Amino acid sequence: MKLTIGHLYPDLLNLYGDVGNVQCLAKRLIWRGIGVEIRRFFAGDKIDFSVLDLAVLGGGSDREQGLCGRYLKKEREGFRDYVEDGGVLLAVCGGYQLLGAYYKTAKMTVEGLHILDIHTEWEPARLTGNILLKSPVSNSPVVGFENHGGRTCIGSYAPFGSVICGYGNEEGAGQEGVLYRNLIGTYLHGPLLPKNPEVCDFLLSRALERKYGTQIALNPLRDEAERQANRYMARRLLRV
Ligand code: GLN
């Protein structure tokens, strides 16, 4: 068994160590004796979605998002087909915003990929800090960090999680990110997956199932350090 992970635009979308998500996906496969190949697609490269089982699109500042928007225009169709076909995707912050119709700031509007019927509008007060979620893809609470000026309206899509503590898609909405087919879009910056191994294994399971046509049970790993860190953060944020 083997999975191919596509790291999309690591030269532009790489804020806060988003690359850790790619490393986590790869390591958790290797530790289980499953083969892995990482393909990096830099700005301007043609993305061959047909070879990918998993794709990761990281976060970026407004400037990098503007540049990315231009490159992604050429990839729109292939990207949309990949997602509709159940291709697994983790898109973080700036990458998450780019999946929608547009990302609008005071200075520019970046047209998105139109993969999801969502949109994002920027406001000067940034939504920053640690965040805690309850998500259907993880029994443990999902912990992370957010820092964004964009407010994302997800309409009737299912969120990645409900906000226990923090902001998420927009103040007061109580929802964070989006969950659609095998795609997770989220504001939780890197490295989200090392902090939340259950979320990582959810993505790996979906990719294995799509590729091999059957549910494949992942061997449990010794995640004691991760579980302790997760519990520590959850308690700290809930002040219990
Ligand atoms: N530029 C976007 C915003 O501020 C995304 C930032 C990010 O990826 N952290 O909303």
Side-chain angles (χ1 to χ4, degrees):
M1 277 191 297
K2 179 187 155 188
L3 292 181
T4 302
I5 303 172
H7 191 184
L8 312 185
Y9 304 145
D11 46 344
L12 289 176
L13 299 178
N14 58 1
L15 275 181
Y16 304 123
D18 284 327
V19 67
N21 290 323
V22 177
Q23 288 166 346
C24 185
L25 288 162
K27 274 287 182 193
R28 293 181 74 81
L29 287 170
I30 292 165
W31 287 333
R32 289 166 164 131
I34 301 172
V36 60
E37 184 186 352
I38 299 174
R39 303 270 300 258
R40 293 182 183 83
F41 297 93
F42 296 94
D45 289 351
K46 177 93 199 111
I47 303 172
D48 184 0
F49 285 98
S50 71
V51 300
L52 299 186
D53 304 307
L54 265 150
V56 177
L57 191 62
S61 66
D62 292 353
R63 180 184 165 274
E64 276 77 21
Q65 275 179 276
L67 293 169
C68 250
R70 270 180 257 159
Y71 293 114
L72 279 172
K73 223 175 239 177
K74 294 188 208 114
E75 309 297 333
R76 199 177 281 166
E77 215 172 298
F79 213 147
R80 202 172 29 211
D81 290 350
Y82 172 77
V83 169
E84 288 302 322
D85 187 52
V88 178
L89 171 66
L90 174 68
V92 175
C93 203
Y96 162 44
Q97 295 171 345
L98 287 171
L99 301 179
Y102 63 85
Y103 170 52
K104 187 171 188 282
T105 71
K107 295 187 191 134
M108 62 171 188
T109 300
V110 182
E111 194 182 353
L113 286 159
H114 297 269
I115 290 173
L116 300 174
D117 187 12
I118 65 174
H119 60 269
T120 304
E121 303 206 355
W122 177 93
E123 286 178 31
R126 297 191 71 78
L127 306 181
T128 304
N130 292 313
I131 178 165
L132 191 65
L133 310 176
K134 183 170 168 34
S135 170
V137 310
S138 174
N139 290 318
S140 312
V142 174
V143 298
F145 171 75
E146 61 182 327
N147 180 2
H148 50 108
R151 273 71 170 167
T152 301
C153 172
I154 64 164
S156 55
Y157 286 96
F160 169 47
S162 45
V163 176
I164 303 171
C165 174
Y167 299 104
N169 288 333
E170 43 187 338
E171 301 98 317
Q175 296 186 324
E176 202 295 312
V178 87
L179 202 51
Y180 173 72
R181 295 190 184 270
N182 289 332
L183 169 169
I184 293 177
T186 178
Y187 274 114
L188 272 58
H189 259 299
L192 162 71
L193 301 183
K195 288 181 185 171
N196 301 284
E198 284 184 69
V199 179
C200 189
D201 286 353
F202 165 79
L203 296 170
L204 294 175
S205 299
R206 287 299 175 93
L208 287 165
E209 191 176 339
R210 174 173 177 255
K211 182 159 187 183
Y212 294 102
T214 171
Q215 253 189 343
I216 293 160
L218 289 171
N219 294 336
L221 296 173
R222 254 193 104 249
D223 288 326
E224 199 38 46
E226 289 84 348
R227 270 197 289 269
Q228 270 183 30
N230 183 290
R231 271 197 299 269
Y232 171 82
M233 277 312 289
R235 283 204 198 113
R236 199 178 112 185
L237 294 175
L238 292 170
R239 294 190 180 85
V240 290

Coordinates of all heavy atoms in Angstrom, one line a residue, residues 81-148:
D81 N -12.6 18.8 -9.9 CA -12.9 17.4 -10.2 C -12.3 16.5 -9.1 O -12.9 15.5 -8.7 CB -12.3 17.0 -11.5 CG -13.0 17.7 -12.7 OD1 -14.1 18.3 -12.4 OD2 -12.5 17.7 -13.8
Y82 N -11.1 16.8 -8.7 CA -10.4 16.1 -7.6 C -11.2 16.0 -6.3 O -11.5 14.9 -5.8 CB -9.0 16.7 -7.3 CG -8.3 16.1 -6.2 CD1 -7.6 14.9 -6.2 CD2 -8.2 16.8 -4.9 CE1 -6.9 14.3 -5.1 CE2 -7.5 16.3 -3.8 CZ -6.9 15.1 -4.0 OH -6.2 14.6 -2.9
V83 N -11.7 17.2 -5.9 CA -12.5 17.3 -4.7 C -13.9 16.5 -4.9 O -14.3 15.7 -4.0 CB -12.8 18.7 -4.3 CG1 -13.8 18.8 -3.2 CG2 -11.5 19.4 -3.8
E84 N -14.5 16.7 -6.0 CA -15.8 16.1 -6.3 C -15.7 14.6 -6.3 O -16.6 13.9 -6.0 CB -16.4 16.6 -7.5 CG -17.0 18.1 -7.4 CD -18.0 18.3 -6.3 OE1 -18.8 17.4 -6.1 OE2 -17.9 19.3 -5.6
D85 N -14.5 14.1 -6.8 CA -14.3 12.7 -6.9 C -13.9 12.1 -5.5 O -13.5 10.9 -5.4 CB -13.1 12.5 -7.9 CG -12.9 11.0 -8.2 OD1 -13.9 10.3 -8.5 OD2 -11.8 10.5 -8.0
G86 N -13.9 12.9 -4.5 CA -13.5 12.4 -3.1 C -12.1 12.5 -2.8 O -11.6 11.8 -1.8
G87 N -11.3 13.2 -3.6 CA -9.9 13.4 -3.3 C -9.8 14.1 -2.0 O -10.6 15.0 -1.6
V88 N -8.8 13.6 -1.2 CA -8.6 14.2 0.2 C -7.8 15.5 0.2 O -6.8 15.5 -0.5 CB -8.0 13.1 1.1 CG1 -7.8 13.6 2.5 CG2 -8.8 11.8 1.1
L89 N -8.3 16.5 0.9 CA -7.7 17.8 0.9 C -7.7 18.4 2.3 O -8.8 18.4 2.9 CB -8.4 18.7 -0.1 CG -8.0 20.2 -0.1 CD1 -6.6 20.3 -0.6 CD2 -8.9 21.0 -1.0
L90 N -6.6 18.9 2.7 CA -6.6 19.8 3.9 C -6.1 21.2 3.4 O -5.1 21.3 2.8 CB -5.5 19.2 4.9 CG -5.3 20.2 6.1 CD1 -6.5 20.2 7.0 CD2 -4.1 19.7 6.9
A91 N -7.0 22.1 3.6 CA -6.7 23.5 3.2 C -6.8 24.4 4.4 O -7.8 24.4 5.2 CB -7.7 24.0 2.2
V92 N -5.7 25.1 4.7 CA -5.6 25.9 5.9 C -5.6 27.4 5.7 O -4.8 27.9 4.8 CB -4.2 25.5 6.6 CG1 -4.0 26.4 7.9 CG2 -4.2 24.0 7.0
C93 N -6.4 28.1 6.4 CA -6.5 29.5 6.4 C -6.5 30.2 5.1 O -7.5 30.1 4.4 CB -5.3 30.1 7.3 SG -5.7 31.7 8.0
G94 N -5.4 30.8 4.6 CA -5.4 31.4 3.3 C -5.8 30.4 2.2 O -6.5 30.7 1.3
G95 N -5.4 29.2 2.3 CA -5.7 28.1 1.4 C -7.2 27.8 1.4 O -7.8 27.5 0.4
Y96 N -7.7 27.8 2.6 CA -9.2 27.5 2.9 C -10.0 28.6 2.2 O -10.9 28.4 1.4 CB -9.4 27.4 4.4 CG -10.8 27.6 4.9 CD1 -11.9 27.0 4.3 CD2 -11.0 28.4 6.0 CE1 -13.2 27.1 4.8 CE2 -12.3 28.5 6.6 CZ -13.4 27.9 5.9 OH -14.6 28.0 6.5
Q97 N -9.6 29.9 2.4 CA -10.3 31.0 1.8 C -10.3 30.9 0.3 O -11.3 31.2 -0.4 CB -9.6 32.3 2.2 CG -9.8 32.6 3.7 CD -8.9 33.8 4.2 OE1 -8.1 34.2 3.5 NE2 -9.2 34.3 5.4
L98 N -9.2 30.4 -0.3 CA -9.1 30.3 -1.8 C -10.0 29.3 -2.4 O -10.2 29.2 -3.6 CB -7.6 30.0 -2.2 CG -6.7 31.2 -2.0 CD1 -5.2 30.8 -2.2 CD2 -7.0 32.3 -3.0
L99 N -10.6 28.4 -1.6 CA -11.5 27.4 -2.1 C -12.8 28.0 -2.5 O -13.6 27.4 -3.2 CB -11.7 26.2 -1.1 CG -10.5 25.5 -0.6 CD1 -11.0 24.4 0.4 CD2 -9.8 24.8 -1.8
G100 N -13.1 29.1 -2.0 CA -14.5 29.7 -2.1 C -14.6 30.6 -3.4 O -13.7 30.5 -4.3
A101 N -15.6 31.5 -3.4 CA -15.8 32.3 -4.6 C -14.8 33.5 -4.6 O -14.3 33.8 -5.7 CB -17.3 32.8 -4.5
Y102 N -14.6 34.1 -3.4 CA -13.6 35.2 -3.4 C -13.2 35.5 -2.0 O -13.8 35.1 -1.0 CB -14.3 36.5 -4.0 CG -15.5 37.0 -3.2 CD1 -15.3 37.8 -2.1 CD2 -16.8 36.7 -3.6 CE1 -16.4 38.3 -1.4 CE2 -17.9 37.1 -2.9 CZ -17.7 38.0 -1.8 OH -18.7 38.4 -1.1
Y103 N -12.0 36.2 -1.9 CA -11.5 36.7 -0.7 C -11.3 38.2 -0.9 O -10.5 38.6 -1.8 CB -10.2 36.0 -0.3 CG -9.4 36.7 0.8 CD1 -10.1 37.0 2.0 CD2 -8.1 37.1 0.7 CE1 -9.4 37.6 3.1 CE2 -7.4 37.7 1.7 CZ -8.1 38.0 2.9 OH -7.4 38.6 4.0
K104 N -12.1 39.0 -0.2 CA -12.1 40.5 -0.5 C -11.5 41.2 0.7 O -11.9 41.1 1.9 CB -13.6 40.9 -0.6 CG -13.8 42.3 -1.1 CD -15.3 42.4 -1.4 CE -15.6 43.7 -2.0 NZ -15.8 44.8 -1.2
T105 N -10.5 42.0 0.4 CA -9.9 42.9 1.5 C -10.2 44.4 1.1 O -10.9 44.6 0.1 CB -8.4 42.7 1.6 OG1 -7.8 43.3 0.4 CG2 -8.0 41.3 1.6
A106 N -9.7 45.3 1.9 CA -9.9 46.7 1.6 C -9.2 47.1 0.3 O -9.6 48.1 -0.4 CB -9.4 47.6 2.8
K107 N -8.2 46.3 -0.1 CA -7.4 46.7 -1.2 C -7.6 45.9 -2.4 O -7.2 46.3 -3.5 CB -5.9 46.6 -0.8 CG -5.5 47.6 0.2 CD -4.0 47.6 0.4 CE -3.6 48.3 1.7 NZ -2.6 47.6 2.5
M108 N -8.1 44.7 -2.3 CA -8.2 43.8 -3.5 C -9.2 42.7 -3.3 O -9.7 42.5 -2.2 CB -6.8 43.1 -3.7 CG -6.4 42.2 -2.5 SD -5.0 41.2 -2.9 CE -5.0 40.2 -1.4
T109 N -9.6 42.1 -4.4 CA -10.5 41.0 -4.3 C -9.8 39.8 -5.1 O -9.4 40.0 -6.3 CB -11.8 41.2 -5.0 OG1 -12.5 42.3 -4.3 CG2 -12.7 40.0 -4.9
V110 N -9.5 38.7 -4.4 CA -8.9 37.6 -5.0 C -10.0 36.6 -5.4 O -10.8 36.2 -4.5 CB -7.9 36.9 -4.0 CG1 -7.2 35.7 -4.7 CG2 -6.9 37.8 -3.5
E111 N -10.1 36.3 -6.7 CA -11.1 35.3 -7.1 C -10.7 33.9 -6.6 O -9.5 33.6 -6.8 CB -11.3 35.4 -8.6 CG -12.6 34.6 -8.9 CD -12.9 34.5 -10.4 OE1 -12.2 35.1 -11.2 OE2 -13.9 33.8 -10.7
G112 N -11.6 33.2 -6.1 CA -11.2 31.9 -5.5 C -11.4 30.8 -6.6 O -11.7 31.1 -7.8
L113 N -11.3 29.6 -6.1 CA -11.4 28.4 -7.0 C -12.9 28.0 -7.3 O -13.1 27.1 -8.2 CB -10.7 27.2 -6.4 CG -9.2 27.3 -6.4 CD1 -8.6 26.4 -5.3 CD2 -8.7 26.8 -7.7
H114 N -13.8 28.5 -6.6 CA -15.2 28.2 -6.7 C -15.5 26.7 -6.5 O -16.4 26.1 -7.1 CB -15.8 28.6 -8.1 CG -15.7 30.1 -8.3 ND1 -16.8 30.9 -8.0 CD2 -14.8 30.8 -8.8 CE1 -16.4 32.1 -8.3 NE2 -15.2 32.1 -8.8
I115 N -14.6 26.1 -5.7 CA -14.9 24.6 -5.4 C -16.0 24.6 -4.3 O -16.9 23.7 -4.4 CB -13.6 24.0 -4.8 CG1 -12.6 23.9 -5.9 CG2 -13.9 22.7 -4.1 CD1 -11.2 23.4 -5.5
L116 N -16.1 25.5 -3.5 CA -17.1 25.6 -2.5 C -17.9 26.9 -2.6 O -17.2 28.0 -3.0 CB -16.5 25.6 -1.0 CG -15.7 24.4 -0.6 CD1 -15.1 24.6 0.7 CD2 -16.6 23.1 -0.6
D117 N -19.2 26.9 -2.4 CA -19.9 28.1 -2.5 C -19.9 28.9 -1.2 O -20.9 29.0 -0.4 CB -21.4 27.7 -2.9 CG -22.2 28.9 -3.2 OD1 -21.7 30.0 -3.3 OD2 -23.5 28.8 -3.2
I118 N -18.7 29.3 -0.9 CA -18.5 30.1 0.4 C -17.7 31.4 -0.1 O -17.2 31.4 -1.2 CB -17.6 29.3 1.4 CG1 -16.2 29.1 0.9 CG2 -18.3 28.0 1.8 CD1 -15.3 28.4 1.9
H119 N -17.7 32.4 0.8 CA -16.9 33.6 0.5 C -16.3 34.2 1.7 O -16.8 33.9 2.8 CB -17.7 34.6 -0.3 CG -18.9 35.1 0.4 ND1 -20.1 34.5 0.3 CD2 -19.0 36.1 1.3 CE1 -21.0 35.1 1.1 NE2 -20.3 36.1 1.7
T120 N -15.3 35.0 1.6 CA -14.6 35.6 2.7 C -14.4 37.1 2.6 O -13.9 37.5 1.5 CB -13.2 34.9 2.9 OG1 -13.4 33.5 3.0 CG2 -12.5 35.4 4.1
E121 N -14.7 37.8 3.6 CA -14.5 39.3 3.6 C -13.6 39.6 4.7 O -13.8 39.2 5.9 CB -15.8 40.0 3.6 CG -16.6 39.5 2.4 CD -17.6 40.6 1.9 OE1 -17.8 41.6 2.5 OE2 -18.3 40.3 0.8
W122 N -12.6 40.5 4.5 CA -11.6 40.9 5.5 C -12.1 42.1 6.3 O -12.8 42.9 5.8 CB -10.4 41.3 4.7 CG -9.2 41.8 5.5 CD1 -8.2 41.1 6.0 CD2 -9.0 43.2 5.8 NE1 -7.3 42.0 6.6 CE2 -7.8 43.3 6.5 CE3 -9.7 44.4 5.6 CZ2 -7.2 44.4 7.0 CZ3 -9.1 45.6 6.1 CH2 -7.9 45.6 6.7
E123 N -11.8 42.1 7.6 CA -12.0 43.2 8.4 C -10.7 43.5 9.2 O -9.9 42.6 9.4 CB -13.1 42.9 9.4 CG -14.5 42.9 8.7 CD -15.6 42.6 9.7 OE1 -15.5 43.0 10.9 OE2 -16.6 42.0 9.3
P124 N -10.5 44.8 9.5 CA -9.2 45.1 10.1 C -8.9 44.5 11.5 O -7.7 44.2 11.7 CB -9.2 46.7 10.3 CG -10.6 47.1 9.9 CD -11.3 46.0 9.2
A125 N -9.9 44.2 12.3 CA -9.6 43.5 13.6 C -9.4 42.1 13.3 O -10.2 41.3 12.8 CB -10.8 43.7 14.5
R126 N -8.1 41.6 13.6 CA -7.8 40.2 13.3 C -8.3 39.3 14.4 O -8.4 39.7 15.6 CB -6.3 40.1 13.2 CG -5.6 40.8 12.1 CD -4.2 40.4 11.9 NE -4.1 39.1 11.3 CZ -4.3 38.8 10.0 NH1 -4.6 39.8 9.1 NH2 -4.1 37.6 9.5
L127 N -8.7 38.1 14.0 CA -9.2 37.1 14.9 C -8.0 36.2 15.2 O -7.6 35.4 14.4 CB -10.3 36.3 14.3 CG -11.5 37.2 13.8 CD1 -12.6 36.4 13.3 CD2 -12.0 38.1 14.9
T128 N -7.4 36.4 16.4 CA -6.1 35.7 16.7 C -6.2 35.0 18.1 O -6.8 35.6 19.0 CB -5.0 36.8 16.8 OG1 -5.0 37.5 15.6 CG2 -3.6 36.2 17.0
G129 N -5.6 33.9 18.2 CA -5.5 33.2 19.5 C -5.6 31.7 19.4 O -5.8 31.2 18.3
N130 N -5.5 31.1 20.6 CA -5.7 29.6 20.6 C -7.2 29.4 20.5 O -8.0 30.2 20.8 CB -5.2 29.1 22.0 CG -3.7 29.2 22.1 OD1 -3.0 28.8 21.1 ND2 -3.2 29.7 23.2
I131 N -7.5 28.2 19.9 CA -8.9 27.8 19.6 C -9.1 26.4 20.0 O -8.2 25.5 19.8 CB -9.2 28.2 18.1 CG1 -10.7 27.8 17.8 CG2 -8.2 27.6 17.2 CD1 -11.2 28.4 16.5
L132 N -10.3 26.1 20.4 CA -10.7 24.7 20.8 C -12.0 24.4 20.1 O -13.0 25.2 20.1 CB -10.9 24.7 22.3 CG -11.0 23.4 23.0 CD1 -9.7 22.6 22.9 CD2 -11.3 23.6 24.5
L133 N -12.1 23.2 19.5 CA -13.3 22.8 18.7 C -13.8 21.5 19.2 O -13.0 20.6 19.6 CB -13.0 22.7 17.3 CG -12.3 23.8 16.5 CD1 -12.0 23.3 15.1 CD2 -13.1 25.0 16.5
K134 N -15.1 21.2 18.9 CA -15.6 19.9 18.9 C -15.9 19.5 17.5 O -16.6 20.3 16.8 CB -16.9 19.9 19.7 CG -17.5 18.5 19.9 CD -18.6 18.6 20.9 CE -19.4 17.3 20.9 NZ -18.7 16.1 20.6
S135 N -15.3 18.5 17.0 CA -15.4 18.1 15.6 C -15.9 16.7 15.4 O -15.4 15.8 16.2 CB -14.0 18.3 14.9 OG -14.1 17.7 13.6
P136 N -16.7 16.4 14.4 CA -17.2 15.0 14.2 C -16.0 14.1 13.8 O -16.2 12.9 13.8 CB -18.2 15.2 13.1 CG -18.0 16.5 12.5 CD -17.3 17.4 13.5
V137 N -14.9 14.6 13.4 CA -13.8 13.7 12.9 C -12.8 13.4 14.1 O -11.8 12.7 13.8 CB -13.0 14.3 11.7 CG1 -14.0 14.7 10.6 CG2 -12.1 15.4 12.1
S138 N -13.1 13.8 15.3 CA -12.1 13.5 16.4 C -12.9 13.4 17.7 O -13.7 14.2 18.0 CB -11.2 14.7 16.5 OG -10.3 14.6 17.6
N139 N -12.5 12.3 18.4 CA -13.1 12.2 19.8 C -12.6 13.2 20.8 O -13.3 13.7 21.6 CB -12.9 10.7 20.3 CG -13.7 9.7 19.5 OD1 -14.9 10.0 19.2 ND2 -13.1 8.6 19.2
S140 N -11.3 13.4 20.6 CA -10.7 14.5 21.5 C -11.0 15.8 20.9 O -11.2 16.0 19.7 CB -9.1 14.4 21.5 OG -8.7 13.1 21.6
P141 N -11.1 16.9 21.8 CA -11.3 18.2 21.2 C -10.1 18.6 20.3 O -9.0 18.1 20.5 CB -11.3 19.1 22.5 CG -10.8 18.3 23.6 CD -10.9 16.8 23.2
V142 N -10.4 19.3 19.3 CA -9.4 19.8 18.3 C -8.8 21.1 18.9 O -9.5 22.0 19.1 CB -10.0 19.9 16.9 CG1 -8.9 20.5 16.0 CG2 -10.5 18.6 16.4
V143 N -7.5 21.1 19.0 CA -6.8 22.3 19.5 C -6.0 22.9 18.4 O -5.5 22.2 17.5 CB -5.9 22.0 20.7 CG1 -6.7 21.5 21.9 CG2 -4.8 21.1 20.4
G144 N -5.9 24.3 18.4 CA -5.1 24.9 17.4 C -4.9 26.4 17.7 O -5.2 26.9 18.8
F145 N -4.5 27.1 16.6 CA -4.2 28.5 16.7 C -4.7 29.2 15.5 O -4.6 28.6 14.4 CB -2.7 28.7 16.8 CG -2.2 30.1 16.7 CD1 -2.4 31.0 17.8 CD2 -1.7 30.6 15.5 CE1 -2.0 32.3 17.7 CE2 -1.3 32.0 15.4 CZ -1.5 32.8 16.5
E146 N -5.4 30.3 15.6 CA -5.9 31.0 14.5 C -5.4 32.5 14.4 O -5.1 33.1 15.5 CB -7.4 31.0 14.5 CG -8.0 31.7 15.7 CD -9.6 31.7 15.8 OE1 -10.2 31.7 14.7 OE2 -10.1 31.6 16.9
N147 N -5.2 33.0 13.2 CA -4.8 34.4 13.0 C -5.3 34.8 11.6 O -4.6 34.5 10.7 CB -3.3 34.5 13.2 CG -2.8 35.9 13.0 OD1 -3.6 36.8 12.8 ND2 -1.5 36.1 13.0
H148 N -6.4 35.5 11.6 CA -7.0 35.8 10.3 C -7.8 37.1 10.3 O -8.4 37.4 11.4 CB -7.8 34.7 9.7 CG -8.9 34.1 10.6 ND1 -10.2 34.4 10.4 CD2 -8.8 33.3 11.7 CE1 -10.9 33.7 11.4 NE2 -10.0 33.1 12.2

